[in-house]
């Protein structure tokens, strides 16, 4: 048996672009993908803090250092430029692996630059890396 566990998340990123005429996906600055461990074409769940919508899509690598967060295609219908979103990805772990697993959390500034990298501890507390 495997459990679906939170692997990592990019917390409160700002949507910079929303492109309807594109294949559905989310383009994310390469620095954010690297820091979070999210891979290109990996399935992610998006939560829009502004309107409460939740949806899934996959990632595309954006230019490193650009701060780009762009929802593409059908995913763009769930956001507006300036919305704050949370990008989450999950991993399949055995119960034994899950016991010691600590998801990574990437906090960003207003320009989607990395401001803090943490791991969850017990009871939802954060430990800076």
């Amino acid at each position: 048996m495997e459990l679906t566990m939170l692997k990592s998340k990019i917390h409160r990123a700002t949507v910079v672009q929303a492109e309807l005429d594109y294949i559905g996906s989310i383009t994310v600055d390469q620095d954010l993908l690297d820091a979070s461990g999210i891979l290109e074409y990996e399935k992610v769940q998006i939560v829009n803090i502004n309107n409460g919508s939740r949806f899934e899509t996959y990632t595309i690598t954006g230019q490193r250092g650009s701060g780009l967060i762009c929802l593409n295609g059908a995913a763009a219908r769930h956001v507006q430029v300036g919305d704050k979103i949370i990008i989450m990805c999950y991993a399949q772990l055995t119960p034994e692996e899950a016991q010691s697993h600590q998801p990574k959390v990437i906090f960003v500034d207003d320009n989607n630059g990395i401001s803090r990298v943490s791991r969850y501890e017990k009871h939802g507390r954060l430990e800076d890396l």
Side-chain angles (χ1 to χ4, degrees), residues 1-3 5 92-102:
M1 173 176 73
E2 289 191 333
L3 305 169
M5 305 291 291
Q92 299 294 315
L93 303 175
T94 66
E96 295 77 25
E97 292 170 325
Q99 291 296 318
S100 61
H101 176 67
Q102 294 180 314

Side-chain angles (χ1 to χ4, degrees), residues 16-124:
V16 177
Q17 294 176 1
E19 301 288 341
L20 287 172
D21 297 323
Y22 198 84
I23 297 172
S25 59
I26 182 170
T27 305
V28 180
D29 180 315
Q30 179 70 57
D31 288 338
L32 294 175
L33 291 178
D34 290 348
S36 64
I38 299 172
L39 303 174
E40 186 166 44
Y41 307 120
E42 187 168 359
K43 179 175 139 179
V44 291
Q45 183 180 53
I46 310 295
V47 176
N48 185 326
I49 296 169
N50 293 79
N51 67 24
S53 68
R54 291 176 171 258
F55 56 96
E56 292 179 345
T57 190
Y58 64 93
T59 59
I60 294 176
T61 301
Q63 181 179 355
R64 186 176 298 284
S66 65
L68 184 62
I69 300 289
C70 178
L71 278 295
N72 306 304
R77 297 189 183 282
H78 296 281
V79 299
Q80 293 183 17
V81 171
D83 282 357
K84 296 283 187 181
I85 62 172
I86 299 171
I87 305 166
M88 298 174 286
C89 68
Y90 298 86
Q92 299 294 315
L93 303 175
T94 66
E96 295 77 25
E97 292 170 325
Q99 291 296 318
S100 61
H101 176 67
Q102 294 180 314
K104 190 184 285 188
V105 183
I106 310 305
F107 293 90
V108 298
D109 60 25
D110 290 337
N111 297 313
N112 293 329
I114 299 167
S115 63
R116 181 176 166 201
V117 178
S118 300
R119 287 202 182 275
Y120 278 109
E121 293 182 322
K122 287 191 175 217
H123 310 294

